[in-house]
Amino acid sequence: MATRIVLLAPPDRLAPLRRIAAPFWSQAGTARALNRQNWWALSFRLPGQPTQEIGELASRGRSEGVDVVELREPLATWLPGLLVSDVDSTITRTEAIDLLGEAAGRADEVAEVTARAMAGELDFAESLRARVACLEGLPAEAVDEAARATVVTDGARELVQAAHRAGCRFTMVSGGFTRMVEPLARRLGADAFVANDLEIVDGRCTGRVLGEIVDRSAKARYLRRWAEKYDVDTRLTVAIGDGANDLDMMAAAGMSIAFCAKPVVVEAADAAISLPRMDAIPALWARP
């Protein structure tokens, strides 16, 4: 079965890119180089399995600023039909709850709950409810201001456009908040999104969340739901995320990408990209 190997690097890491790519030239049936202003890519299509151990090569590549990605069938041959991406610290460089905590003047309390969650003392749903409780009384206008303060990851819009050009749907699944994610989804041109709903009464946050919380199991359910809605084989789905809350949807996808991710996600994912530009991701399906 065919395999594709894609190497990504910023322009200042061309020497290690060429060095790490060297063994693949003799193995490849076809190869392609992509040169963009902020990144380079080398893509190789191999008729069989690579002779190198890709996990070890990827680990070495990361230490030299080069991402090494292996695509197996069917995504070695077929284009993806659905991309599902996390939002906070993936599509954006900011965390919604941190922006809101600052707006409410309770950033330290929000950070304390976050630390407890990372230490395993609280699950995601418990930690979200505890952090949202800190927002009681926050004006709805402050939520909108926080949405405008969101920093979008470089290349996010270009990723969505590239997905659409390839005939692929792009959706967003967030443990953040609808009032902040919806305008971002519209701006990027996403096909669908889901996030948590803050309860707002008389123009102020009540400190509660309405309905189902978008936790790690919910993210996996939405990936499968969208795959069914858009008639996409789950083997042709790609999940992109950075944190533990993304692990279930990454396990449910045909391929998982840890994007500028935490170590536990890098270890679990099929591929890891440390290059902090989302417009480099379409290089994975650029055909040699």
Side-chain angles (χ1 to χ4, degrees), residues 100-219:
L100 295 176
E102 290 175 10
R106 301 180 69 177
D108 290 345
E109 293 171 70
V110 169
E112 181 182 351
V113 176
T114 300
R116 291 178 61 200
M118 292 183 68
E121 297 176 22
L122 300 170
D123 66 19
F124 179 80
E126 291 172 326
S127 69
L128 182 70
R129 291 190 181 97
R131 286 178 289 182
V132 169
C134 296
L135 307 181
E136 183 177 359
L138 184 69
E141 292 82 1
V143 180
D144 298 333
E145 289 176 12
R148 290 189 288 271
T150 297
V151 178
V152 179
T153 301
D154 289 337
R157 174 63 175 156
E158 290 80 359
L159 169 60
V160 178
Q161 292 172 334
H164 287 160
R165 284 195 299 271
C168 178
R169 302 281 188 168
F170 186 92
T171 63
M172 297 162 52
V173 58
S174 176
F177 307 105
T178 299
R179 194 163 178 131
M180 299 177 71
V181 174
E182 184 173 15
L184 176 61
R186 286 200 306 266
R187 189 164 129 209
L188 296 179
D191 295 287
F193 76 91
V194 65
N196 297 298
D197 290 323
L198 290 170
E199 183 180 59
I200 296 175
V201 176
D202 295 330
R204 292 185 178 273
C205 296
T206 66
R208 293 187 292 271
V209 180
L210 296 172
E212 176 191 35
I213 286 180
V214 183
D215 59 9
R216 59 189 287 172
S217 61
K219 287 188 173 189

Side-chain angles (χ1 to χ4, degrees), residues 33-78:
L34 295 174
N35 174 9
R36 300 293 183 265
Q37 181 179 356
N38 296 294
W39 53 268
W40 283 65
L42 292 173
S43 179
F44 302 91
R45 181 175 174 82
L46 281 57
Q49 294 300 305
T51 56
Q52 290 75 21
E53 208 294 313
I54 298 300
E56 293 180 6
L57 194 62
S59 180
R60 179 161 64 88
R62 279 194 296 275
S63 70
E64 299 190 58
V66 178
D67 294 321
V68 181
V69 177
E70 179 182 14
L71 291 92
R72 299 177 180 177
E73 296 290 11
L75 286 167
T77 299
W78 296 92

Side-chain angles (χ1 to χ4, degrees), residues 72-88:
R72 299 177 180 177
E73 296 290 11
L75 286 167
T77 299
W78 296 92
L79 294 171
L82 172 66
L83 268 65
V84 181
S85 180
D86 171 52
V87 178
D88 287 2

